[in-house]
Amino acid sequence: MNIALILSGGTGTRAGTDIPKQYVDICGKPVISYCIETLSTHSAIDALLIAAAPDWQDFIDNWLKSPDCKKKFKGFSLPGENRQLSIYRGLEAIRTFAGDNDYVLVHDAARPLLSKVQIAACLNGARGHDGAMPVLPMKDTVYYSHDGKTVGKLLDRSSIYAGQAPEVFLLGRYYEANRRLLPEQIFKINGSTEPGIMSEMDIAMIPGDEGNFKITTRADLENFRKIISLEKGLDHESMGFTSGQ
């Protein structure tokens, strides 16, 4: 079984919106609905669980009415104080209906341009391993600084990669990797794959997708709006942000 865990508990304000960015309307649909549709209609995804605050669960539920969603949606889990704790709580919920040898695919609601090709690549890449993550090679010259003020040394960019989502993990091993970090160390985790690395899980790297960017800033939201407007043949200028978005 392959279970998709969508993380939608963030309340970040860097996008400059009055509501969390994953709920902002883009061409008639909230950002989160785009990845929900892609994941729920993918033939290799058997179940779907969403980590979201109670105040937004009814809102999300309105976008879970399709036959695919009704069949695969298993419910909500509560978000944690940080992203990794949200993942852990989601894993706890998933373990009530899935086994240790099943795979969990962790994705961000704020990455709406996830493709079905990338989903398949992540799942296929995990076979024979404890997990898989998509990565992008570094294009720019990369430097290290010990204090954030002066340049320390040049890093070899050929061995440095930028991680993306979705990341896929064997449910049992990944759950245990996260459980070992409780109660305090889990708050220091910055990337989904980090607990797996710390527990010596075998995580394969696969090519990422530059189009599968994460919406963080207002410029990212505008870029996404432009992409969807072009795909639908809409006038991007007339589809700009309004008050409350």
Side-chain angles (χ1 to χ4, degrees):
M1 179 184 288
N2 299 316
I3 307 101
L5 171 60
I6 298 178
L7 304 176
S8 190
T11 59
T13 59
R14 281 183 289 175
T17 56
D18 294 335
I19 61 175
K21 61 203 172 192
Q22 63 269 31
Y23 305 125
V24 170
D25 184 282
I26 299 292
C27 300
K29 297 165 55 177
V31 169
I32 187 176
S33 69
Y34 289 87
C35 73
I36 287 176
E37 180 178 353
T38 303
L39 287 163
S40 64
T41 58
H42 198 290
S43 60
I45 298 298
D46 303 296
L48 180 72
L49 188 130
I50 302 174
D55 289 349
W56 287 101
Q57 290 179 8
D58 286 343
F59 175 89
I60 297 171
D61 194 56
N62 290 325
W63 299 96
L64 299 170
K65 306 298 186 183
S66 71
D68 290 303
C69 284
K70 288 181 178 180
K71 178 182 177 181
K72 297 181 180 182
F73 182 60
K74 298 298 184 181
F76 294 99
S77 60
L78 295 177
E81 288 85 342
N82 73 339
R83 185 177 185 273
Q84 201 61 36
L85 195 54
S86 291
I87 291 175
Y88 178 73
R89 289 180 176 176
L91 296 175
E92 285 189 308
I94 289 171
R95 291 179 75 245
T96 64
F97 61 85
D100 285 348
N101 291 324
D102 291 328
Y103 283 94
V104 58
L105 181 148
V106 180
H107 191 64
D108 298 300
R111 287 186 187 268
L113 291 174
L114 174 63
S115 71
K116 292 190 175 183
V117 171
Q118 187 72 70
I119 294 171
C122 290
L123 292 172
N124 291 334
R127 305 307 174 192
H129 301 274
D130 296 326
M133 67 177 297
V135 300
L136 295 173
M138 299 300 295
K139 295 181 179 180
D140 298 321
T141 304
V142 183
Y143 293 91
Y144 168 80
S145 172
H146 72 282
D147 59 5
K149 298 178 181 179
T150 58
V151 176
K153 62 180 178 179
L154 175 69
L155 301 180
D156 180 8
R157 68 182 179 188
S158 66
S159 60
I160 298 175
Y161 298 85
Q164 287 191 305
E167 293 140 300
V168 177
F169 307 100
L170 269 176
L171 177 57
R173 287 215 62 190
Y174 188 55
Y175 171 78
E176 286 300 321
N178 281 273
R179 187 184 62 80
R180 293 190 193 105
L181 300 176
L182 297 173
E184 298 296 334
Q185 199 171 2
I186 198 166
F187 292 102
K188 301 177 183 179
I189 301 300
N190 294 312
S192 304
T193 300
E194 189 175 358
I197 296 171
M198 295 169 69
S199 291
E200 299 184 346
M201 290 176 64
D202 172 24
I203 309 296
M205 293 197 313
I206 66 167
D209 175 6
E210 289 189 354
N212 182 27
F213 62 87
K214 185 176 182 179
I215 294 175
T216 303
T217 66
R218 192 177 186 89
D220 295 330
L221 271 171
E222 280 292 358
N223 187 28
F224 176 53
R225 188 188 298 275
K226 182 177 181 180
I227 291 169
I228 298 302
S229 297
L230 290 172
E231 286 182 354
K232 294 186 175 184
L234 302 173
D235 180 1
H236 170 61
E237 294 301 326
S238 68
M239 297 294 292
F241 287 103
T242 60
S243 178
Q245 295 183 338

